[in-house]
């Protein structure tokens, strides 16, 4: 750094200084991100920490010096080197954006951060989980404090913004964003913090009121992000007491309203402004702050302007189709803005209700017009869709806004929620009538082309309105169906507004609408999916399930649930939702109230499977029988997903076995190469074998566990053997569905069977049944055949591999050890990959697998040594007691356990395997964090006991890892560990080893 600083100070030309600053940019970026991945995470952390403490501030000061020189030259009317200004500004941004949190804080800084009291110790916490942060708090080191307390520091960047154009002005504002995001306790006292905030507010007020540079979208967007960083409770409180707070709120309100009006120009910036207003409404309104009145009035104006802009967007898009993006077309965009609605609307809920009422009346009148559907009616429908979204968000806000915001009149919000719900139900009723009239009008059209166009337009608009109603139902159910008292208070008001008499009546209306969607929108997955999900959520919640069980509609549904009644099940686009639909039905069926309907409910399954079994086997490989079989498997999987206990699982298994489950191997025999069949089959098997809530508990005399495993093992093994009979098609574009996805479920199924505790694995050996060994051997071959680079990029498959290895090594280590030495070395390498994985779950699974494997060898070798010693003693005793002249009888030593023989064979074939494994384990245990340390210490202890000759090498590794001033202590700790280590795997010895090992960690 000294040489670089000297180079910059000695440079007489702008290009030379610019080159030096650009070089520093690259250094800061690489140290912060380690983008090339050259350094390990542990080494990178050490390098970044040292760089932050020793060099980063110096680099930042060099950037500031260059910026001040450029700004000073401009103020004196001299020609400033624009290139140097831009380079220095980017370097300053790199320094301010350095990953301070990722490399950790010093203990002193952390202590200061968590022990400061008073309004200075600020954190940026969102008002709730609904309001998300954008930029995290910047954890600037305390050595940077003098710069932030300098009044001219932040003004330097505001001055650059004011005198430049994009992209320089954008970079300057991004620097300001990082500065205002700094942790507040970087300031030494409240006075300096207040001065800093007032200085920033003054500059922001100037920019906002003069609209300086805000015609540019990037400037506007970055400024909105800066404003959003004042959203923390403590920042808002300090802001409210600032001398220019009222001026700031007034300027912010005008700026926000203008930005919302210009939704076409600034579609992505409004989010940040509404985020700030939502936090202001939460933390300032109704809590005695002097800005409360201004915040309340501003919040309701912001919400009303947002609603107006959404309604206006419908008109603009209808008159200029295709010119702008439709906000209603993006669910993410809608929910992003709706998150702030409850906080703003409930500042004055009565005023919000009145405003929505004035909008609802003319729109509902337009929807009730008779005759053909006109463009004006389509506009009214889409505007009502926006109202449904907004009303749903307001009703949902009851659960998380209550207690944060006090209504102006102090009244309970239930009556207003009831009125919002009544509005929503009226929209549903009017739209159903309107849709029927539109369909009738379309049928009466003579021109087929005109009829087709009219039908398509009606469907597109109606779909958006249906989605909005689904959103409302979802928000309402979250707010009220889990609150019996709130629902009880709501019903009388609903009866007053729309005639809903009781809770059952309301639930029946919602459920009937959702079921109707599955019939009327059978080929529209955007509607079928949310409808099924809502039905499932209602059936999965204890409160709403109780309500569903009381409906007469429920018994009728369980008696009539075939694809003829719900045609979405036969739609290729929507058939995947059959699983959730039948999970919903299963939640109802497996209740005590409907236990008598099981046989009746299963009749459609019996008819379908009997029909499939009666068809030629080859016909199952093609549609329509293939689609029928896939649908049946999905339906059954939906039921199995929600089986709650062993009694009901046994009832379902008794129905499946032996007749109806037999269609699975029959189907698979002609479909092993068809992923569209095998993926659902593998999923079904994996779910069938999952012992969730101990539901797979059979009587001691029952062979069901063995029968279940034997039945599915044939399918699993046959699929693996077919897959491995040729090179894996991993380069195939469809490799994910053909190889990786079914492999995931296949390994999950086998691991669940091994670790479920319901299959008597020893019975296979007792009765010379090779089903288990063949299945495990095939699965192990599959694991070793999968390309590891691709596996590591697929989290589900990666986890399935290591779960399988952990269970396999724990239940059948002999099978693992019996591999050929090259394959065994490949397996050890695979486990080591898991040990080095950044995912702690994978690391722990790999550690447990290795611990089980090494422990099995360690215990077997100890047992073998004891047996050998006993045999030798017996031989000596027999020779001593042999009568003179009698022929001695030689004692035959028992053969070495197979696991010991296999392990020794591997270590002889691959001598570097065990030393390399031990060395890697030792380094990983020293470097790891958190829970991974405990998991890694278990196999490390076994490996050290297996290789005592490597202790000196490990000692040197420990000393090399230690800091320079701690090497002697580490050497002493290692010696103490070796003296205290015992030759056993008992719990006390493991605990002592972990404690000794902790002393060696840096």
């Amino acid at each position: 750094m000294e040489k670089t600083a000297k180079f910059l100070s000695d440079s007489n030309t702008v290009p030379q200084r610019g080159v030096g600053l650009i070089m520093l940019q690259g250094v800061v970026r690489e140290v912060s991100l380690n983008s090339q991945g050259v350094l390990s995470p542990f080494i990178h952390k050490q390098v970044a920490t040292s760089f932050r403490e020793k060099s980063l501030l110096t680099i930042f000061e060099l950037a500031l010096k260059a910026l001040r020189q450029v700004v000073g030259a401009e103020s004196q009317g001299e020609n400033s080197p624009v290139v140097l200004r831009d380079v220095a500004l980017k370097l300053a941004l790199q320094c301010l954006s350095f990953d301070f949190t990722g490399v950790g804080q010093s203990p002193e800084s952390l202590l200061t951060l968590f022990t400061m009291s008073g309004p200075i110790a600020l954190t940026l916490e969102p008002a709730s989980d609904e309001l998300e942060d954008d930029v995290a708090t910047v954890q600037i080191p305390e050595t940077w404090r003098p710069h932030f307390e300098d009044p001219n520091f932040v003004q330097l960047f505001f001055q650059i913004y004011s005198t430049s154009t994009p992209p320089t002005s954008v970079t300057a504002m991004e620097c300001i964003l990082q500065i205002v995001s700094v942790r507040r306790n970087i300031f030494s006292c409240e006075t300096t913090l207040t001065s800093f905030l007032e200085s920033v507010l003054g500059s922001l007020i100037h920019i906002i009121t003069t609209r300086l540079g805000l015609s540019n979208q990037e400037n506007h967007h970055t400024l909105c992000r800066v404003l959003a960083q004042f959203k923390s409770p403590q920042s808002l409180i300090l802001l409210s007491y600032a001398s220019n707070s009222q001026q700031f709120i007034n300027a912010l309100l005008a700026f926000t309203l203008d930005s919302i009006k210009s939704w076409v120009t600034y579609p992505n910036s409004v989010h940040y402004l509404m985020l700030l207003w939502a936090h202001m409404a939460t933390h300032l309104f109704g809590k005695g702050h002097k800005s409360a009145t201004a915040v309340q009035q501003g919040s309701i104006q912001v919400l009303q302007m947002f609603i107006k802009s959404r309604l206006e967007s419908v008109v603009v898009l209808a008159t200029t189709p295709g010119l702008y993006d439709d906000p209603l077309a993006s669910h993410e965009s809608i929910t992003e803005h709706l998150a702030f609605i409850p906080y703003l609307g409930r500042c004055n809920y009565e005023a919000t209700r009145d405003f929505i009422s004035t909008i609802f009346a003319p729109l509902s009148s337009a929807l009730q017009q008779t005759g053909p559907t006109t463009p004006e009616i389509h506009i009214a429908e889409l505007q009502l869709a926006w109202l449904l979204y907004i009303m749903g968000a307001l009703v949902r806000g009851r659960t998380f806004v209550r207690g944060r915001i006090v209504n102006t009149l102090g009244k309970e919000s239930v009556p207003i929620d009831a009125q919002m719900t009544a509005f929503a139900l009226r929209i549903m009723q009017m739209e159903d009538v309107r849709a029927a009239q539109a369909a009738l009008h379309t049928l009466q059209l003579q021109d087929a082309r005109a009829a087709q166009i009219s039908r398509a337009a009606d469907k597109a608009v109606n779909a958006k309105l249906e989605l909005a109603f689904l959103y409302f139902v979802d928000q309402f159910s979250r707010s009220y169906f889990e609150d019996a008292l709130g629902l009880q208070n709501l019903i009388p008001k609903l009866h007053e507004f729309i005639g809903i008499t009781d809770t059952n009546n309301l639930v029946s209306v919602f459920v009937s609408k959702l079921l109707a969607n599955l019939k009327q929108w059978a080929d529209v997955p955007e509607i079928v999916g949310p409808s099924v999900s809502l039905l499932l959520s209602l059936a999965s919640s204890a409160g709403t399930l109780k309500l569903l069980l009381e409906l007469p509609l429920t018994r009728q549904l369980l008696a009539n649930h075939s694809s003829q009644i719900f045609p979405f099940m036969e739609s290729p686009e929507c058939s995947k939702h059959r699983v959730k639909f039948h999970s919903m039905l299963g939640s109802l069926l497996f209740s005590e109230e409907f236990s008598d309907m099981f046989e009746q409910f299963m009749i459609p399954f019996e008819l379908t499977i009997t029909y499939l079994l009666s068809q030629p086997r080859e016909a199952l490989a093609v549609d329509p029988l293939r689609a029928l079989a896939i649908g049946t498997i999905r339906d059954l999987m939906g039921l199995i997903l929600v089986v709650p206990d062993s009694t009901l699982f046994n009832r379902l298994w008794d129905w499946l076995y032996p007749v109806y489950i037999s269609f699975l191997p029959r189907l698979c025999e002609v479909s092993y190469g068809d992923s569209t069949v095998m993926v659902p089959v593998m999923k079904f098997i994996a779910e069938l074998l999952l012992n969730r809530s101990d539901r797979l508990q059979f009587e001691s005399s029952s062979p069901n566990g063995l029968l279940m495993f034997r039945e599915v093992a044939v399918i699993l093994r046959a699929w693996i053997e077919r897959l491995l009979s040729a090179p894996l098609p991993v380069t195939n574009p469809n490799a994910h569905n053909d190889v990786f996805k079914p492999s995931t479920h296949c390994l999950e199924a086998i691991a669940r069977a091994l670790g479920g505790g319901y299959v008597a694995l020893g019975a296979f050996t007792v009765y010379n049944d090779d089903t288990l060994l063949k299945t495990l051997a095939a699965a192990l071959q599959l694991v070793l055949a999968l390309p590891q680079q691709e596996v590591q990029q697929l989290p589900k498959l990666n986890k399935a591999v290591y779960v399988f290895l952990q269970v396999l090594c724990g239940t059948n280590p002999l099978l693992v050890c019996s591999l050929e030495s090259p394959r065994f070395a490949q397996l050890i390498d695979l486990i080591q990959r898991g040990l080095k994985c950044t995912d702690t779950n994978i690391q722990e699974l790999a550690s447990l697998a290795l611990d089980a494997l090494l422990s099995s060898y360690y215990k077997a070798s100890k047992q073998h040594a004891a047996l050998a010693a006993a045999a030798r003693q017996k031989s000596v005793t027999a020779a001593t007691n042999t009568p003179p002249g009698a022929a001695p009888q030689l004692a035959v030593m028992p053969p070495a356990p197979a696991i010991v023989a296999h392990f020794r064979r591997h270590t002889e074939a691959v001598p570097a395997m065990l030393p390399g494994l031990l060395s890697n384990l030792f380094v990983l245990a020293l470097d790891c964090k958190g829970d991974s340390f405990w998991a890694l210490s278990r196999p490390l202890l076994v490996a050290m006991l297996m290789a005592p000759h490597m202790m000196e090498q490990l000692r040197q590794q420990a000393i090399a890892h230690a800091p320079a001033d701690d090497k002697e202590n580490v050497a002493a700790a290692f010696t103490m560990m070796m003296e205290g280590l015992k030759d056993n795997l008992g719990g006390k010895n493991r605990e002592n080893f972990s404690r000794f090992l902790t002393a060696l960690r840096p």
Side-chain angles (χ1 to χ4, degrees):
M1 283 308 306
E2 294 177 358
K3 293 182 179 180
T4 305
K6 187 175 185 304
F7 170 78
L8 289 173
S9 61
D10 294 344
S11 299
N12 298 321
T13 63
V14 171
Q16 285 180 325
R17 297 171 64 189
V19 168
L21 294 176
I22 291 174
M23 291 172 60
L24 291 176
Q25 279 186 47
V27 172
V28 175
R29 183 187 304 109
E30 180 58 30
V31 172
S32 179
L33 302 179
N34 189 25
S35 58
Q36 300 299 322
V38 176
L39 303 177
S40 68
F42 176 75
I43 300 299
H44 174 242
K45 176 181 176 179
Q46 290 183 322
V47 171
T49 302
S50 176
F51 180 80
R52 181 196 67 194
E53 300 297 334
K54 297 179 181 180
S55 304
L56 187 60
L57 179 56
T58 302
I59 296 175
F60 183 60
E61 290 172 341
L62 289 173
L64 289 179
K65 181 180 178 181
L67 288 174
R68 289 190 175 107
Q69 290 175 349
V70 173
V71 172
E74 290 178 346
S75 63
Q76 296 176 7
E78 301 177 5
N79 291 328
S80 60
V82 176
V83 175
L84 184 62
R85 178 199 61 187
D86 293 347
V87 172
L89 192 61
K90 290 179 181 178
L91 177 58
L93 180 59
Q94 283 288 338
C95 294
L96 291 169
S97 306
F98 191 81
D99 187 12
F100 299 101
T101 303
V103 300
Q105 291 282 329
S106 64
E108 294 78 14
S109 298
L110 289 175
L111 182 63
T112 303
L113 180 63
F114 289 105
T115 57
M116 291 189 69
S117 59
I120 303 174
L122 304 183
T123 56
L124 293 177
E125 296 178 355
S128 82
D129 293 338
E130 301 290 327
L131 303 180
E132 300 178 355
D133 291 329
D134 176 44
V135 178
T137 304
V138 180
Q139 301 292 343
I140 293 290
E142 292 184 13
T143 53
W144 295 46
R145 176 177 292 161
H147 293 288
F148 285 84
E149 293 186 344
D150 180 2
N152 298 320
F153 170 63
V154 69
Q155 291 303 320
L156 171 65
F157 295 95
F158 275 114
Q159 185 174 357
I160 295 173
Y161 171 83
S162 302
T163 57
S164 61
T165 57
T168 303
S169 59
V170 176
T171 307
M173 190 58 73
E174 288 177 345
C175 289
I176 296 170
L177 173 62
Q178 295 299 121
I179 292 171
V180 299
S181 304
V182 70
R183 60 186 179 96
R184 299 307 190 227
N185 56 1
I186 191 65
F187 298 93
S188 57
C189 63
E190 184 175 353
T191 302
T192 56
L193 174 57
T194 303
S195 299
F196 170 80
L197 288 176
E198 289 182 347
S199 174
V200 172
L201 288 179
S203 298
L204 291 175
I205 290 170
H206 172 70
I207 294 173
I208 291 174
T209 53
T210 62
R211 299 296 193 267
L212 180 62
L214 298 184
S215 58
N216 178 268
Q217 288 190 13
E218 290 187 81
N219 281 343
H220 185 281
H221 184 73
T222 310
L223 175 65
C224 292
R225 294 178 64 199
V226 171
L227 292 170
Q229 287 308 107
F230 288 94
K231 65 185 178 297
S232 72
Q234 295 87 347
S235 294
L236 291 173
I237 292 171
L238 286 175
L239 184 152
S240 69
Y241 288 108
S243 60
N244 50 0
S245 64
Q246 192 62 45
Q247 184 182 3
F248 173 75
I249 292 175
N250 293 336
L252 176 65
L253 176 59
F255 176 63
T256 303
L257 296 178
D258 287 346
S259 298
I260 295 175
K261 286 180 184 177
S262 306
W263 61 272
V264 173
T265 308
Y266 310 115
N268 300 318
S269 302
V270 174
H271 164 87
Y272 298 100
L273 297 174
M274 296 188 70
L275 171 66
L276 177 59
W277 278 102
H279 278 274
M280 290 170 63
T282 302
H283 298 297
L284 297 183
F285 170 57
K287 299 186 179 180
H289 299 294
K290 67 178 184 178
S291 305
T293 302
V295 169
Q296 180 198 20
Q297 295 174 353
S299 296
I300 194 64
Q301 289 183 57
V302 168
L303 176 61
Q304 291 178 0
M305 181 57 68
F306 175 77
I307 295 174
K308 289 179 180 178
S309 72
R310 298 301 95 178
L311 302 183
E312 178 191 347
S313 69
V314 173
V315 179
V316 172
L317 292 169
T319 55
T320 57
L323 188 58
Y324 306 111
D325 293 334
D326 182 4
L328 274 177
S330 171
H331 180 73
E332 292 76 12
S333 175
I334 295 172
T335 54
E336 181 182 73
H337 291 97
L338 293 179
F340 315 124
I341 298 297
Y343 299 92
L344 302 176
R346 286 181 176 259
C347 268
N348 191 334
Y349 205 9
E350 294 82 0
T352 303
R353 184 266 320 275
D354 295 340
F355 181 74
I356 290 177
S357 298
T358 59
I359 297 174
F360 176 77
L363 293 180
S364 62
S365 299
L367 200 62
Q368 292 175 341
Q369 294 179 8
T370 58
T373 303
T374 62
E376 290 74 18
I377 292 178
H378 278 167
I379 289 175
E381 288 175 323
L382 294 176
Q383 290 177 329
L384 286 171
W386 271 115
L387 278 190
L388 279 173
Y389 278 118
I390 291 166
M391 291 189 298
L394 288 168
V395 171
R396 175 73 175 99
R398 172 178 175 270
T399 57
F400 55 82
V401 176
R402 182 173 52 188
R404 297 179 181 273
I405 296 177
V406 182
N407 290 319
T408 52
L409 301 179
K411 294 181 179 179
E412 174 63 34
S413 64
V414 168
I416 303 179
D417 288 345
Q419 192 165 356
M420 298 288 182
T421 306
F423 286 161
L425 291 175
R426 286 174 186 167
I427 293 174
M428 182 193 75
Q429 295 170 351
M430 291 185 295
E431 179 57 21
D432 287 344
V433 174
R434 177 75 244 167
Q437 292 177 349
L440 180 61
H441 171 71
T442 302
L443 290 175
Q444 294 173 349
L445 290 176
Q446 300 297 324
D447 186 349
R449 177 62 177 168
Q452 183 180 3
I453 295 175
S454 175
R455 190 181 299 110
D458 290 341
K459 189 172 184 179
V461 173
N462 293 344
K464 293 178 180 179
L465 194 56
E466 288 293 343
L467 287 173
F469 185 75
L470 290 174
Y471 177 83
F472 182 89
V473 174
D474 182 36
Q475 303 307 302
F476 179 90
S477 64
R478 292 169 185 264
S479 183
Y480 277 99
F481 281 150
E482 294 300 323
D483 182 1
L485 181 60
L487 190 60
Q488 182 180 352
N489 295 331
L490 183 81
I491 293 299
K493 291 296 180 181
L494 275 180
H495 179 63
E496 177 183 339
F497 290 133
I498 201 169
I500 297 292
T501 56
D502 54 29
T503 303
N504 287 349
N505 188 193
L506 178 62
V507 176
S508 180
V509 169
F510 283 155
V511 172
S512 298
K513 177 61 177 175
L514 296 175
L515 293 175
N517 284 347
L518 304 184
K519 302 174 183 178
Q520 298 169 6
W521 298 90
D523 58 343
V524 183
E526 292 81 8
I527 294 179
V528 170
S531 299
V532 172
S533 296
L534 270 174
L535 286 169
L536 178 58
S537 67
L538 292 175
S540 301
S541 172
T544 50
L545 177 61
K546 183 178 179 181
L547 297 174
L548 290 175
L549 295 177
E550 297 174 356
L551 298 180
L553 176 66
T554 302
R555 183 171 290 273
Q556 181 182 357
L557 174 62
L558 293 177
N560 303 276
H561 57 85
S562 65
S563 59
Q564 287 78 16
I565 298 173
F566 295 101
F568 83 92
M569 292 194 287
E570 295 183 351
S571 169
E573 296 82 8
C574 300
S575 61
K576 63 181 180 181
H577 298 296
R578 296 175 69 144
V579 177
K580 285 186 177 181
F581 181 67
H582 281 80
S583 290
M584 180 273 297
L585 295 175
S587 298
L588 302 173
L589 177 67
F590 296 135
S591 62
E592 293 184 7
E593 288 79 355
F594 296 108
S595 58
D596 60 314
M597 292 196 66
F598 180 81
E599 285 75 14
Q600 181 181 0
F601 180 86
M602 300 305 293
I603 288 175
F605 291 96
E606 295 174 358
L607 296 175
T608 300
I609 296 176
T610 301
Y611 174 71
L612 290 172
L613 290 173
S614 67
Q615 299 302 307
R617 185 172 302 173
E618 293 72 17
L620 300 178
V622 294
D623 291 332
L625 293 184
R626 183 184 66 165
L628 181 62
I630 294 172
T632 303
I633 293 169
R634 286 173 171 161
D635 297 345
L636 290 173
M637 183 166 62
L639 293 179
I640 292 174
L641 278 166
V642 294
V643 176
D645 54 47
S646 60
T647 301
L648 292 169
F649 188 89
N650 275 281
R651 188 176 187 181
L652 184 58
W653 173 251
D654 289 341
W655 177 87
L656 273 172
Y657 187 83
V659 177
Y660 297 116
I661 200 173
S662 62
F663 92 96
L664 279 180
R666 181 181 175 87
L667 171 67
C668 293
E669 285 177 7
V670 293
S671 306
Y672 280 119
D674 187 351
S675 61
T676 59
V677 174
M678 294 312 302
V679 170
V681 168
M682 293 296 183
K683 283 185 176 180
F684 171 79
I685 293 174
E687 190 56 40
L688 180 69
L689 298 177
L690 177 59
N691 192 12
R692 181 187 291 114
S693 302
D694 288 332
R695 65 183 185 179
L696 272 70
Q697 298 296 324
F698 306 110
E699 296 291 337
S700 57
S701 59
S702 172
N704 280 342
L706 292 170
L707 294 174
M708 186 184 302
F709 183 80
R710 281 176 55 87
E711 194 71 29
V712 300
V714 174
I715 299 173
L716 299 176
R717 189 170 69 249
W719 178 80
I720 294 173
E721 290 172 353
R722 181 183 179 88
L723 181 68
L724 299 181
S725 62
L728 289 181
V730 293
T731 58
N732 191 308
N734 203 33
H736 180 74
N737 289 328
D738 290 342
V739 179
F740 300 128
K741 197 170 182 179
S743 296
T744 300
H745 300 302
C746 177
L747 295 174
E748 283 178 347
I750 297 173
R752 289 171 178 179
L754 292 180
Y758 55 87
V759 180
L761 302 177
F764 290 101
T765 304
V766 171
Y767 295 104
N768 294 323
D769 189 334
D770 60 358
T771 301
L772 176 64
L773 286 178
K774 285 185 176 180
T775 304
L776 295 182
L780 188 55
Q781 290 178 12
L782 173 63
V783 167
L784 297 176
L786 291 172
Q788 292 309 309
Q789 290 185 348
E790 284 79 359
V791 170
Q792 290 178 353
Q793 296 173 4
L794 301 170
K796 291 183 179 180
L797 177 55
N798 201 26
K799 182 179 179 180
V801 166
Y802 286 100
V803 168
F804 169 73
L805 290 178
Q806 186 258 325
V807 175
L808 177 64
C809 292
T811 58
N812 206 318
L814 178 58
L815 175 65
V816 179
C817 293
S818 64
L819 290 169
E820 295 296 325
S821 294
R823 303 287 279 175
F824 184 81
Q826 182 185 355
L827 178 66
I828 295 297
D829 180 67
L830 174 59
I831 293 177
Q832 290 193 75
R833 286 174 179 264
L835 297 175
K836 298 175 183 178
C837 184
T838 55
D839 186 338
T840 55
N841 291 327
I842 300 297
Q843 198 173 45
E844 188 169 335
L845 289 168
S847 299
L848 293 175
L850 185 59
D851 178 52
L853 190 60
L854 297 181
S855 296
S856 65
Y857 167 73
Y858 176 85
K859 294 174 182 178
S861 62
K862 290 293 183 184
Q863 181 184 12
H864 169 56
L867 291 174
R872 287 194 298 270
Q873 181 62 35
K874 183 177 181 181
S875 177
V876 171
T877 304
T880 304
N881 297 331
T882 301
Q889 296 181 356
L890 299 177
V892 179
M893 184 173 60
I899 193 169
V900 175
H902 287 311
F903 220 98
R904 289 177 178 173
R905 172 170 56 85
H906 298 321
T907 54
E908 291 173 359
V910 190
M913 179 177 62
L914 185 58
L917 175 63
L918 178 54
S919 178
N920 290 335
L921 265 177
F922 191 69
V923 172
L924 288 170
L926 294 182
D927 291 348
C928 70
K929 301 177 182 178
D931 297 336
S932 299
F933 171 71
W934 176 88
L936 287 166
S937 68
R938 296 182 65 83
L940 177 59
L941 172 61
V942 190
M944 291 179 68
L945 295 178
M946 291 170 57
H949 58 282
M950 289 189 60
M951 293 304 103
E952 179 58 26
Q953 179 181 339
L954 296 181
R955 178 177 175 276
Q956 295 300 329
Q957 280 185 305
I959 295 173
H961 259 73
D965 57 349
D966 199 36
K967 292 186 181 295
E968 293 184 2
N969 294 333
V970 170
F974 192 89
T975 302
M976 185 182 298
M977 179 182 71
M978 296 312 302
E979 292 175 353
L981 198 60
K982 306 298 181 184
D983 191 10
N984 65 72
L985 298 180
K988 186 176 181 180
N989 195 39
R990 286 186 182 274
E991 183 179 344
N992 291 337
F993 175 71
S994 297
R995 187 173 64 254
F996 288 137
L997 191 61
T998 302
L1000 301 178
R1001 288 157 57 83

